[in-house]
Amino acid sequence: MSRKNQTLGEFIIENQSEFQYSSGELSRLINSIRLAAKVVNHEVNKAGLVDIVGAAGETNIQGEDQQKLDVMANNTFISTLTNRNIVCGIASEENDDFITIEGQGEDHKNKYVVLMDPLDGSSNIDVNVSVGTIFSIYRRVTPPGSPVTLEDFLQPGRNQVAAGYIIYGTSTMLVYTTGHGVNGFTLNPAIGTFYLSHPNMQFPDMGNIYSVNEGNYNHFPNGVKKYIKYCQEEAENRPYTSRYIGSLVSDIHRNMIKGGIYIYPKSSKAMNGKLRLLYECNPMAFIAEQAGGKASDGFTPILDLKPTELHERVPFFCGSRLMVEKAESFMSNS
Ligand code: P6P
């Protein structure tokens, strides 16, 4: 249920009944993400003003320079989630292994695990391009009372109970789903409140925006090369527009509003593509499907893939249903 000018807090309370089996913990979990988003937003928005930008002098498991804001965002979400005694485990792009949260009081009774990319697209920070946080929430599958195991994190995306992203752009938005559609909330920075600005977000079935790093064209599979040529020369609704920000959250958010497809395929340089299944592709795929769109690895729905490693990468095709299906047809016939 949604109404004009509803705050995120009111929305969570008024839709509490949708959270199956939840005794309010999932609501409190979404609320803690809301708080962390405000803290990160404050730091991201002043990145150019203080010496917080630039590599923190460390590299993460991906071998990428960790930006100081990456580290800040990671620490902020971890501490906010840990302090509220809601989750039993956290996995992050910035941490080699998952984190076990020792339950206060009754040990290990908390039932949710959170997987996240705390600041996706962080290489854009230095050039003032929007970045995002991506999160994915599951119920643990191992019995409560004992520490979480890797099995609790390696669940297929179909098991997600909630997923979403925060986009730190011209305005800051929190967009999420609990399996009952996708809703977008815009932060009023003057009072620090998120307001429902985009109720029931839907991917248009068709669009004419394609988002792919064409600098890698020569390394793409033939099916991707043929689809790009289709967009440029054959599509009935051409001309298409190529829009690629280099920030997953921004590209998909724009395509969800305007219609479009985002592709990060495998290539001869990256045999499984670049994006991580657990905390980038699965949450964005849950959002996409809940918004009437599609997400696959070019052949199989992302949400049906069985993860085998915490930081595994998969090819990613995500967006307007008919555009993803067209791209998949080129992949299947090449
Ligand atoms: P490339 C950012 O590092 C990211 O994970 C996504 O946000 C973005 O879409 C992609 O990688 C950009 O990768 O190789 O095109 O620079």
mmCIF file of all heavy atoms in Angstrom, residues 121-151:
data_model
loop_
_atom_site.group_PDB
_atom_site.id
_atom_site.type_symbol
_atom_site.label_atom_id
_atom_site.label_comp_id
_atom_site.label_asym_id
_atom_site.label_seq_id
_atom_site.Cartn_x
_atom_site.Cartn_y
_atom_site.Cartn_z
ATOM 1 N N GLY A 121 31.046 1.065 -8.316
ATOM 2 C CA GLY A 121 31.386 2.138 -9.252
ATOM 3 C C GLY A 121 32.333 3.152 -8.632
ATOM 4 O O GLY A 121 32.449 4.286 -9.086
ATOM 5 N N SER A 122 33.032 2.720 -7.565
ATOM 6 C CA SER A 122 33.809 3.702 -6.796
ATOM 7 C C SER A 122 34.931 4.342 -7.612
ATOM 8 O O SER A 122 35.416 5.415 -7.260
ATOM 9 C CB SER A 122 34.395 3.050 -5.543
ATOM 10 O OG SER A 122 35.118 1.896 -5.909
ATOM 11 N N SER A 123 35.287 3.714 -8.734
ATOM 12 C CA SER A 123 36.336 4.346 -9.559
ATOM 13 C C SER A 123 35.812 5.662 -10.140
ATOM 14 O O SER A 123 36.571 6.499 -10.622
ATOM 15 C CB SER A 123 36.747 3.393 -10.694
ATOM 16 O OG SER A 123 35.599 3.044 -11.461
ATOM 17 N N ASN A 124 34.471 5.867 -10.060
ATOM 18 C CA ASN A 124 33.903 7.125 -10.579
ATOM 19 C C ASN A 124 33.955 8.257 -9.571
ATOM 20 O O ASN A 124 33.634 9.406 -9.901
ATOM 21 C CB ASN A 124 32.429 6.889 -10.958
ATOM 22 C CG ASN A 124 32.300 6.020 -12.207
ATOM 23 O OD1 ASN A 124 32.964 6.260 -13.196
ATOM 24 N ND2 ASN A 124 31.458 4.999 -12.130
ATOM 25 N N ILE A 125 34.312 7.934 -8.323
ATOM 26 C CA ILE A 125 34.241 8.948 -7.254
ATOM 27 C C ILE A 125 35.091 10.175 -7.614
ATOM 28 O O ILE A 125 34.641 11.316 -7.534
ATOM 29 C CB ILE A 125 34.719 8.350 -5.915
ATOM 30 C CG1 ILE A 125 33.748 7.267 -5.441
ATOM 31 C CG2 ILE A 125 34.844 9.451 -4.864
ATOM 32 C CD1 ILE A 125 34.296 6.441 -4.291
ATOM 33 N N ASP A 126 36.315 9.893 -8.084
ATOM 34 C CA ASP A 126 37.252 11.003 -8.327
ATOM 35 C C ASP A 126 36.794 11.912 -9.452
ATOM 36 O O ASP A 126 37.299 13.022 -9.607
ATOM 37 C CB ASP A 126 38.644 10.436 -8.671
ATOM 38 C CG ASP A 126 39.274 9.748 -7.468
ATOM 39 O OD1 ASP A 126 38.752 9.943 -6.363
ATOM 40 O OD2 ASP A 126 40.248 8.999 -7.653
ATOM 41 N N VAL A 127 35.856 11.426 -10.274
ATOM 42 C CA VAL A 127 35.386 12.273 -11.395
ATOM 43 C C VAL A 127 33.933 12.686 -11.200
ATOM 44 O O VAL A 127 33.250 13.081 -12.143
ATOM 45 C CB VAL A 127 35.578 11.549 -12.747
ATOM 46 C CG1 VAL A 127 37.068 11.363 -13.041
ATOM 47 C CG2 VAL A 127 34.873 10.192 -12.746
ATOM 48 N N ASN A 128 33.458 12.553 -9.951
ATOM 49 C CA ASN A 128 32.155 13.081 -9.556
ATOM 50 C C ASN A 128 30.989 12.474 -10.341
ATOM 51 O O ASN A 128 30.020 13.165 -10.680
ATOM 52 C CB ASN A 128 32.147 14.621 -9.720
ATOM 53 C CG ASN A 128 31.113 15.250 -8.787
ATOM 54 O OD1 ASN A 128 30.643 14.579 -7.866
ATOM 55 N ND2 ASN A 128 30.770 16.494 -9.047
ATOM 56 N N VAL A 129 31.113 11.186 -10.650
ATOM 57 C CA VAL A 129 30.016 10.457 -11.313
ATOM 58 C C VAL A 129 29.309 9.611 -10.260
ATOM 59 O O VAL A 129 29.943 9.141 -9.299
ATOM 60 C CB VAL A 129 30.579 9.574 -12.454
ATOM 61 C CG1 VAL A 129 29.546 8.585 -12.970
ATOM 62 C CG2 VAL A 129 31.086 10.453 -13.588
ATOM 63 N N SER A 130 27.984 9.437 -10.421
ATOM 64 C CA SER A 130 27.200 8.774 -9.371
ATOM 65 C C SER A 130 27.680 7.349 -9.115
ATOM 66 O O SER A 130 28.147 6.660 -10.015
ATOM 67 C CB SER A 130 25.713 8.761 -9.748
ATOM 68 O OG SER A 130 25.548 8.172 -11.026
ATOM 69 N N VAL A 131 27.577 6.952 -7.875
ATOM 70 C CA VAL A 131 27.960 5.609 -7.432
ATOM 71 C C VAL A 131 26.793 5.024 -6.638
ATOM 72 O O VAL A 131 25.768 5.683 -6.448
ATOM 73 C CB VAL A 131 29.237 5.664 -6.554
ATOM 74 C CG1 VAL A 131 30.443 6.076 -7.378
ATOM 75 C CG2 VAL A 131 29.049 6.624 -5.380
ATOM 76 N N GLY A 132 26.931 3.781 -6.204
ATOM 77 C CA GLY A 132 25.799 3.153 -5.528
ATOM 78 C C GLY A 132 26.204 2.095 -4.531
ATOM 79 O O GLY A 132 27.340 1.617 -4.516
ATOM 80 N N THR A 133 25.252 1.743 -3.676
ATOM 81 C CA THR A 133 25.370 0.604 -2.758
ATOM 82 C C THR A 133 24.351 -0.435 -3.212
ATOM 83 O O THR A 133 23.242 -0.083 -3.602
ATOM 84 C CB THR A 133 25.030 1.029 -1.314
ATOM 85 O OG1 THR A 133 25.990 1.994 -0.868
ATOM 86 C CG2 THR A 133 25.016 -0.174 -0.378
ATOM 87 N N ILE A 134 24.730 -1.713 -3.228
ATOM 88 C CA ILE A 134 23.815 -2.783 -3.620
ATOM 89 C C ILE A 134 23.743 -3.775 -2.473
ATOM 90 O O ILE A 134 24.780 -4.136 -1.896
ATOM 91 C CB ILE A 134 24.296 -3.507 -4.895
ATOM 92 C CG1 ILE A 134 24.621 -2.496 -6.000
ATOM 93 C CG2 ILE A 134 23.227 -4.489 -5.387
ATOM 94 C CD1 ILE A 134 25.322 -3.100 -7.210
ATOM 95 N N PHE A 135 22.506 -4.196 -2.102
ATOM 96 C CA PHE A 135 22.383 -5.151 -0.986
ATOM 97 C C PHE A 135 21.396 -6.260 -1.330
ATOM 98 O O PHE A 135 20.465 -6.080 -2.112
ATOM 99 C CB PHE A 135 21.980 -4.436 0.316
ATOM 100 C CG PHE A 135 20.645 -3.742 0.269
ATOM 101 C CD1 PHE A 135 19.472 -4.417 0.614
ATOM 102 C CD2 PHE A 135 20.539 -2.401 -0.125
ATOM 103 C CE1 PHE A 135 18.236 -3.780 0.577
ATOM 104 C CE2 PHE A 135 19.311 -1.754 -0.166
ATOM 105 C CZ PHE A 135 18.153 -2.438 0.177
ATOM 106 N N SER A 136 21.637 -7.395 -0.682
ATOM 107 C CA SER A 136 20.831 -8.599 -0.924
ATOM 108 C C SER A 136 20.621 -9.301 0.411
ATOM 109 O O SER A 136 21.569 -9.440 1.188
ATOM 110 C CB SER A 136 21.608 -9.510 -1.887
ATOM 111 O OG SER A 136 21.001 -10.760 -2.035
ATOM 112 N N ILE A 137 19.388 -9.705 0.712
ATOM 113 C CA ILE A 137 19.070 -10.260 2.034
ATOM 114 C C ILE A 137 18.432 -11.645 1.882
ATOM 115 O O ILE A 137 17.515 -11.825 1.071
ATOM 116 C CB ILE A 137 18.102 -9.331 2.794
ATOM 117 C CG1 ILE A 137 18.706 -7.922 2.958
ATOM 118 C CG2 ILE A 137 17.762 -9.918 4.170
ATOM 119 C CD1 ILE A 137 17.737 -6.882 3.499
ATOM 120 N N TYR A 138 18.947 -12.594 2.664
ATOM 121 C CA TYR A 138 18.401 -13.962 2.692
ATOM 122 C C TYR A 138 18.102 -14.349 4.134
ATOM 123 O O TYR A 138 18.708 -13.804 5.069
ATOM 124 C CB TYR A 138 19.426 -14.977 2.167
ATOM 125 C CG TYR A 138 19.803 -14.869 0.713
ATOM 126 C CD1 TYR A 138 20.761 -13.959 0.291
ATOM 127 C CD2 TYR A 138 19.217 -15.687 -0.248
ATOM 128 C CE1 TYR A 138 21.127 -13.853 -1.048
ATOM 129 C CE2 TYR A 138 19.576 -15.592 -1.598
ATOM 130 C CZ TYR A 138 20.534 -14.671 -1.975
ATOM 131 O OH TYR A 138 20.886 -14.589 -3.301
ATOM 132 N N ARG A 139 17.204 -15.339 4.301
ATOM 133 C CA ARG A 139 17.072 -16.024 5.580
ATOM 134 C C ARG A 139 18.190 -17.082 5.626
ATOM 135 O O ARG A 139 18.463 -17.714 4.597
ATOM 136 C CB ARG A 139 15.704 -16.716 5.641
ATOM 137 C CG ARG A 139 14.927 -16.457 6.901
ATOM 138 C CD ARG A 139 13.541 -17.056 6.848
ATOM 139 N NE ARG A 139 12.538 -16.010 6.692
ATOM 140 C CZ ARG A 139 11.946 -15.675 5.557
ATOM 141 N NH1 ARG A 139 12.218 -16.317 4.452
ATOM 142 N NH2 ARG A 139 11.076 -14.691 5.503
ATOM 143 N N ARG A 140 18.829 -17.267 6.771
ATOM 144 C CA ARG A 140 19.855 -18.316 6.845
ATOM 145 C C ARG A 140 19.213 -19.680 6.598
ATOM 146 O O ARG A 140 18.021 -19.885 6.907
ATOM 147 C CB ARG A 140 20.559 -18.271 8.185
ATOM 148 C CG ARG A 140 19.775 -18.722 9.371
ATOM 149 C CD ARG A 140 20.566 -18.692 10.676
ATOM 150 N NE ARG A 140 21.718 -19.638 10.635
ATOM 151 C CZ ARG A 140 22.598 -19.742 11.643
ATOM 152 N NH1 ARG A 140 22.485 -18.984 12.720
ATOM 153 N NH2 ARG A 140 23.594 -20.601 11.545
ATOM 154 N N VAL A 141 19.974 -20.594 6.046
ATOM 155 C CA VAL A 141 19.432 -21.941 5.790
ATOM 156 C C VAL A 141 19.940 -22.960 6.809
ATOM 157 O O VAL A 141 19.332 -24.006 7.013
ATOM 158 C CB VAL A 141 19.787 -22.424 4.354
ATOM 159 C CG1 VAL A 141 19.015 -21.624 3.310
ATOM 160 C CG2 VAL A 141 21.284 -22.341 4.089
ATOM 161 N N THR A 142 21.064 -22.608 7.513
ATOM 162 C CA THR A 142 21.551 -23.525 8.553
ATOM 163 C C THR A 142 20.785 -23.232 9.841
ATOM 164 O O THR A 142 20.298 -22.112 10.038
ATOM 165 C CB THR A 142 23.063 -23.318 8.778
ATOM 166 O OG1 THR A 142 23.302 -21.939 9.072
ATOM 167 C CG2 THR A 142 23.847 -23.725 7.540
ATOM 168 N N PRO A 143 20.675 -24.198 10.739
ATOM 169 C CA PRO A 143 19.825 -24.014 11.933
ATOM 170 C C PRO A 143 20.364 -22.913 12.841
ATOM 171 O O PRO A 143 21.584 -22.769 12.991
ATOM 172 C CB PRO A 143 19.872 -25.386 12.621
ATOM 173 C CG PRO A 143 21.046 -26.096 12.053
ATOM 174 C CD PRO A 143 21.282 -25.536 10.687
ATOM 175 N N PRO A 144 19.457 -22.116 13.447
ATOM 176 C CA PRO A 144 19.916 -21.100 14.391
ATOM 177 C C PRO A 144 20.578 -21.758 15.597
ATOM 178 O O PRO A 144 20.401 -22.949 15.845
ATOM 179 C CB PRO A 144 18.619 -20.379 14.799
ATOM 180 C CG PRO A 144 17.502 -21.305 14.464
ATOM 181 C CD PRO A 144 17.984 -22.138 13.316
ATOM 182 N N GLY A 145 21.384 -20.928 16.290
ATOM 183 C CA GLY A 145 22.056 -21.448 17.482
ATOM 184 C C GLY A 145 23.501 -21.782 17.209
ATOM 185 O O GLY A 145 24.291 -21.980 18.127
ATOM 186 N N SER A 146 23.866 -21.793 15.909
ATOM 187 C CA SER A 146 25.287 -22.019 15.593
ATOM 188 C C SER A 146 25.729 -20.935 14.615
ATOM 189 O O SER A 146 24.885 -20.324 13.945
ATOM 190 C CB SER A 146 25.444 -23.402 14.933
ATOM 191 O OG SER A 146 24.626 -23.450 13.759
ATOM 192 N N PRO A 147 27.022 -20.663 14.517
ATOM 193 C CA PRO A 147 27.495 -19.619 13.593
ATOM 194 C C PRO A 147 27.085 -19.922 12.153
ATOM 195 O O PRO A 147 26.933 -21.072 11.768
ATOM 196 C CB PRO A 147 29.025 -19.684 13.760
ATOM 197 C CG PRO A 147 29.251 -20.320 15.096
ATOM 198 C CD PRO A 147 28.115 -21.278 15.284
ATOM 199 N N VAL A 148 26.884 -18.869 11.379
ATOM 200 C CA VAL A 148 26.555 -19.063 9.958
ATOM 201 C C VAL A 148 27.710 -19.779 9.261
ATOM 202 O O VAL A 148 28.855 -19.742 9.710
ATOM 203 C CB VAL A 148 26.306 -17.706 9.253
ATOM 204 C CG1 VAL A 148 24.994 -17.101 9.673
ATOM 205 C CG2 VAL A 148 27.460 -16.737 9.479
ATOM 206 N N THR A 149 27.357 -20.421 8.159
ATOM 207 C CA THR A 149 28.389 -21.086 7.347
ATOM 208 C C THR A 149 28.318 -20.517 5.929
ATOM 209 O O THR A 149 27.387 -19.773 5.589
ATOM 210 C CB THR A 149 28.113 -22.610 7.278
ATOM 211 O OG1 THR A 149 26.930 -22.805 6.450
ATOM 212 C CG2 THR A 149 27.891 -23.180 8.671
ATOM 213 N N LEU A 150 29.262 -20.902 5.090
ATOM 214 C CA LEU A 150 29.298 -20.435 3.700
ATOM 215 C C LEU A 150 27.992 -20.819 2.997
ATOM 216 O O LEU A 150 27.481 -20.074 2.151
ATOM 217 C CB LEU A 150 30.509 -21.039 2.978
ATOM 218 C CG LEU A 150 30.780 -20.559 1.548
ATOM 219 C CD1 LEU A 150 30.979 -19.040 1.516
ATOM 220 C CD2 LEU A 150 31.999 -21.286 0.974
ATOM 221 N N GLU A 151 27.390 -21.927 3.389
ATOM 222 C CA GLU A 151 26.127 -22.385 2.781
ATOM 223 C C GLU A 151 25.032 -21.328 2.898
ATOM 224 O O GLU A 151 24.199 -21.157 2.013
ATOM 225 C CB GLU A 151 25.673 -23.682 3.460
ATOM 226 C CG GLU A 151 24.425 -24.314 2.874
ATOM 227 C CD GLU A 151 23.913 -25.495 3.706
ATOM 228 O OE1 GLU A 151 24.589 -25.853 4.702
ATOM 229 O OE2 GLU A 151 22.833 -26.028 3.375
#
